[in-house]
Amino acid sequence: MMMDNISLITAFVMFSFACSDLSILSVMAYDRYLAICRPLRYHRYMNKLRLSLLVCFSWLIPFSFHAVLITLTSRLTLCSAQIQRLYCVNWVIVLLACPTNNTTPSSIVVYITVVVYVFHGLLIIWSYIYLVRTCRGSIENRKKFMQTCVPHLTCMLTFMSTVVFDIMYMHFGSKDIAQSLKNLISMVFMIISPIMNPLIYGFKLTKVRNKILFYLHV
């Protein structure tokens, strides 16, 4: 039994979204590090060409990794087509593969992907270590930190919380949970992070904030 194309496309989109989001968050962390810790060199390092390359790589790298991963997964023969989730993810599809399949190539790509995005996480941690050290002794830098870094940290923590929650449920979740609750848990990852990012950054813009406050008041 082979997995249908819609399931594979869904798995590709979900994984690419998660990894590209982390890539963009790491680029934003590096941008804030340069803006606050190296303000005189900011325009030298963050010119239009370099910024365009960073944004392109933030999308191209996860797309490339997961295009290879989904291609390898599509060749697997499945012993079952029943997925107890609202949407497909590659790990769940691989678990349905028959024992006769060779999943070593997929595992290698997954390990490489994990290493790459661990480095993304280390870049974010490294950036914030220097940001905290720089902002600690300056009132002006602390204001900059509150204005630019707190929204980024909020988005990052929201994203990481939903990802970790989804991964923990996927690996350790009980099979006895009701299907409606499984769907609700799956929707946490799909809804919270995509909604929170535009809300947090949109709320910083005066016109958007005034509109939101107006509708809340009404």
Side-chain angles (χ1 to χ4, degrees):
M1 184 187 302
M2 304 298 291
M3 181 58 65
D4 61 276
N5 291 333
I6 295 176
S7 300
L8 293 171
I9 291 171
T10 304
F12 174 78
V13 170
M14 297 306 298
F15 266 67
S16 299
F17 157 72
C19 291
S20 60
D21 206 354
L22 183 56
S23 296
I24 291 170
L25 287 170
S26 63
V27 170
M28 292 170 69
Y30 180 63
D31 175 79
R32 277 145 183 74
Y33 160 76
L34 289 177
I36 296 176
C37 301
R38 300 287 187 271
L40 299 179
R41 300 181 183 179
Y42 179 81
H43 293 290
R44 177 185 172 187
Y45 290 115
M46 272 298 186
N47 52 53
K48 288 184 179 180
L49 176 61
R50 184 165 295 177
L51 185 58
S52 300
L53 288 174
L54 287 171
V55 172
C56 287
F57 280 126
S58 297
W59 288 97
L60 289 176
I61 291 176
F63 280 5
S64 301
F65 275 131
H66 295 302
V68 173
L69 194 58
I70 293 300
T71 302
L72 293 171
T73 302
S74 66
R75 298 176 180 177
L76 299 176
T77 303
L78 306 183
C79 291
S80 173
Q82 188 175 6
I83 297 176
Q84 300 294 330
R85 290 178 65 89
L86 193 62
Y87 54 86
C88 291
V89 291
N90 191 73
W91 171 256
V92 175
I93 297 174
V94 172
L95 289 178
L96 298 176
C98 298
T100 54
N101 287 282
N102 180 17
T103 58
T104 302
S106 296
S107 300
I108 292 172
V109 176
V110 169
Y111 290 139
I112 294 172
T113 306
V114 169
V115 170
V116 168
Y117 285 97
V118 164
F119 277 109
H120 280 61
L122 292 175
L123 174 62
I124 294 173
I125 294 170
W126 173 83
S127 298
Y128 271 95
I129 288 173
Y130 278 89
L131 280 165
V132 171
R133 288 175 59 182
T134 301
C135 297
R136 190 172 51 186
S138 169
I139 295 176
E140 183 181 352
N141 283 338
R142 284 203 293 269
K143 288 181 180 179
K144 289 181 181 178
F145 185 91
M146 294 298 295
Q147 290 173 353
T148 62
C149 297
V150 170
H152 176 256
L153 274 174
T154 305
C155 289
M156 187 179 66
L157 291 174
T158 302
F159 170 75
M160 293 304 298
S161 299
T162 54
V163 168
V164 170
F165 180 76
D166 193 63
I167 291 173
M168 293 292 288
Y169 166 69
M170 187 165 54
H171 286 274
F172 306 109
S174 173
K175 295 181 180 179
D176 299 327
I177 299 176
Q179 187 61 44
S180 57
L181 183 56
K182 290 180 181 179
N183 292 341
L184 180 63
I185 293 170
S186 299
M187 289 173 64
V188 169
F189 173 73
M190 275 198 306
I191 294 176
I192 290 181
S193 185
I195 287 179
M196 287 295 291
N197 290 0
L199 277 179
I200 290 169
Y201 283 100
F203 201 73
K204 290 180 62 182
L205 302 174
T206 304
K207 290 184 178 180
V208 176
R209 183 171 62 250
N210 290 341
K211 278 286 185 183
I212 293 173
L213 292 175
F214 171 76
Y215 285 119
L216 287 176
H217 178 70
V218 171

